[in-house]
Amino acid sequence: MRLIIATNNRGKVREYRDILEPLGFETLSQEEAGIHLEVEETGSTFEENAALKARAVFELAHCCVIADDSGLEVEALGGEPGIYSARYRGLGTEHERRLAVLEGLKGVENRRARFVCCICFVDQDGSQRLFKGVWNGRISEEERGDNGFGYDPIFIAEDADGNTTASLPIEFKEHHSHRAKAVRMLVEYLRSRPAQAGAPVIRDVRPSDAPRLLEIYAYYVRQTAVTFETEVPSLPEFGVRVSRITARYPWLVLEEDGRILGYAYAGVFKDRAAYDWACETTVYLAPDARRRGLGRRLYEALEARLGEMGILNLYACVAVPAGEDDEYLTRASAEFHARMGWRLAGTFRQCGYKFGRWYDMVWMERFIGVHGSPQPPVRWEAQ
Ligand code: ITT
């Protein structure tokens, strides 16, 4: 099972990886997933902030995500730094924040403290669960040790024999920490929930996907009037199309049990600078993958990516029968777009000839952002 670890904190990524990978989970850091995002932690609890971080990444990635909000609570400081641990007193470095805690406890007898970790797990279908782990201990008199991160050099866990977390081998923390406890609960949950092995995952296209994508597309070229292309392109030509698109736009594939079931991408609408905020979108599903809501999932994931880029207008060029549905073409695609909130922009009558028949084509449109002035430039994907 693949999980994105939604954090910009490398220490956290390392710890999750060390715990989850030996258990058979494939982990991807937020950075590796190509998601560059700093979520504003506006919640007033660890739980709320963990959910904010996990959901923000889920909206972009549409696959399993974990995020945690964690921190140090010091009893004599009224629970501070708490949810402000990463930005305690606005201090810029971890060292300064540690010193601020030590300073706050100068001459104070009660040095009791605890680390708290609240993990939010968002599942493929968008449902979420929270898991909380607590590690009790006390604050040391001074900093000790180089392992770990954050407040580890000043935290002495109750089960650590007087050593700060940073001065113990990293394996100790992996087994005893607040994060380890919360992760264990998460893993238990993942193992006990109904099998989701093979649930569809949406990811960026890879060059090695081209043969399967072409196989899906070839069906529409040969058997339908959904595309007005009449000859199946060669594999090298199809590969060129993929790399041309991904030089600037997202191309996503939906995979289930290692088999690609569909894909969606955006491309240039018109090659003139003033059209930068508009793009044309395309979605194809393998014939046996239709009617499962997968087209919608692909479109939503694509729209989220395009929204991040600052794209505003989406256009889809959709073939429709000139009269009744026939064996090559139905109104299903136009109706699908309408259900997704697209509206008709224009109809081109009898503009495609395939299988000895004339077909209409409609342009459909959808706005996904606000048209302003000045308008910020589009952030192209692969530049
Ligand atoms: P993300 O929000 O991107 O995950 P962050 O570092 O800002 O990264 P938090 O908002 O959850 O994460 O803040 C957690 C802070 O609490 C972290 O920066 C440390 O200062 C401290 N902290 C949490 N877990 C810790 C641990 O295991 N060891 C030491 N300090 C920890």
Side-chain angles (χ1 to χ4, degrees), residues 78-381:
E80 286 192 353
I83 59 167
Y84 304 107
S85 292
R87 47 201 153 120
Y88 187 42
R89 305 221 165 144
L91 294 165
T93 67
E94 291 183 331
H95 173 65
E96 286 168 330
R97 292 190 285 267
R98 289 192 293 267
L99 289 188
V101 171
L102 293 177
E103 192 61 31
L105 290 183
K106 247 201 181 131
V108 177
E109 208 173 304
N110 175 9
R111 304 187 75 85
R112 272 197 298 273
R114 60 184 209 158
F115 267 135
V116 178
C117 172
C118 184
I119 298 178
C120 178
F121 166 70
V122 183
D123 212 333
Q124 304 262 8
D125 62 3
S127 58
Q128 73 183 47
R129 289 240 166 187
L130 292 160
F131 305 90
K132 193 170 181 174
V134 171
W135 202 17
N136 290 316
R138 63 188 157 87
I139 300 300
S140 60
E141 297 291 338
E142 78 261 306
E143 297 183 286
R144 251 182 295 138
D146 304 313
N147 290 334
F149 65 95
Y151 298 92
D152 284 336
I154 59 165
F155 183 75
I156 301 173
E158 60 187 1
D159 44 6
D161 238 357
N163 299 295
T164 65
T165 308
S167 55
L168 286 168
I170 203 82
E171 295 77 30
F172 183 84
K173 193 175 178 194
E174 273 167 26
H175 286 101
H176 295 76
S177 77
H178 49 316
R179 189 160 294 106
K181 287 173 186 160
V183 170
R184 269 200 291 276
M185 288 183 243
L186 165 71
V187 168
E188 223 168 273
Y189 166 72
L190 292 178
R191 293 205 163 136
S192 65
R193 82 194 161 135
Q196 289 221 342
V201 171
I202 293 175
R203 62 162 173 81
D204 283 295
V205 71
R206 300 178 190 133
S208 57
D209 297 331
R212 170 62 181 153
L213 302 185
L214 182 56
E215 187 184 7
I216 293 172
Y217 183 58
Y219 163 80
Y220 290 94
V221 176
R222 291 198 184 104
Q223 317 274 344
T224 78
V226 164
T227 167
F228 282 176
E229 191 152 24
T230 54
E231 301 278 332
V232 176
S234 67
L235 187 55
E237 157 61 17
F238 196 80
V240 168
R241 291 185 192 184
V242 174
S243 38
R244 207 179 291 141
I245 290 289
T246 51
R248 287 191 129 188
Y249 294 96
W251 183 313
L252 304 176
V253 303
L254 184 144
E255 193 174 39
E256 185 178 58
D257 265 342
R259 182 167 176 263
I260 293 173
L261 297 183
Y263 61 92
Y265 62 87
V268 173
F269 172 60
K270 277 248 173 210
D271 191 14
R272 296 285 181 272
Y275 288 115
D276 275 1
W277 294 266
C279 68
E280 184 180 346
T281 61
T282 302
V283 175
Y284 283 104
L285 285 180
D288 59 352
R290 290 176 292 193
R291 285 177 288 279
R292 290 180 50 194
L294 302 179
R296 172 176 283 272
R297 288 192 48 187
L298 269 168
Y299 242 135
E300 284 172 352
L302 185 67
E303 280 185 21
R305 284 280 282 271
L306 295 170
E308 278 288 296
M309 290 168 63
I311 296 275
L312 303 177
N313 299 19
L314 309 186
Y315 295 105
C317 168
V318 182
V320 290
E324 297 289 296
D325 289 0
D326 65 25
E327 68 270 39
Y328 300 114
L329 192 62
T330 67
R331 295 187 180 275
S333 178
E335 286 165 1
F336 163 71
H337 282 83
R339 281 198 300 279
M340 294 280 300
W342 295 62
R343 59 173 181 252
L344 186 66
T347 302
F348 292 74
R349 303 207 177 277
Q350 300 195 312
C351 78
Y353 182 73
K354 194 170 175 182
F355 305 123
R357 296 171 198 190
W358 287 98
Y359 290 99
D360 289 355
M361 183 268 281
V362 294
W363 275 103
M364 299 190 73
E365 70 177 356
R366 177 167 154 78
F367 291 169
I368 57 167
V370 178
H371 296 78
S373 180
Q375 186 66 36
V378 169
R379 294 171 294 279
W380 303 110
E381 282 240 319

Side-chain angles (χ1 to χ4, degrees), residues 7-9 12 41 53 70 149 151-152 173 178-179:
T7 176
N8 292 313
N9 181 325
K12 286 189 190 178
E41 297 181 22
K53 292 188 256 189
S70 45
F149 65 95
Y151 298 92
D152 284 336
K173 193 175 178 194
H178 49 316
R179 189 160 294 106

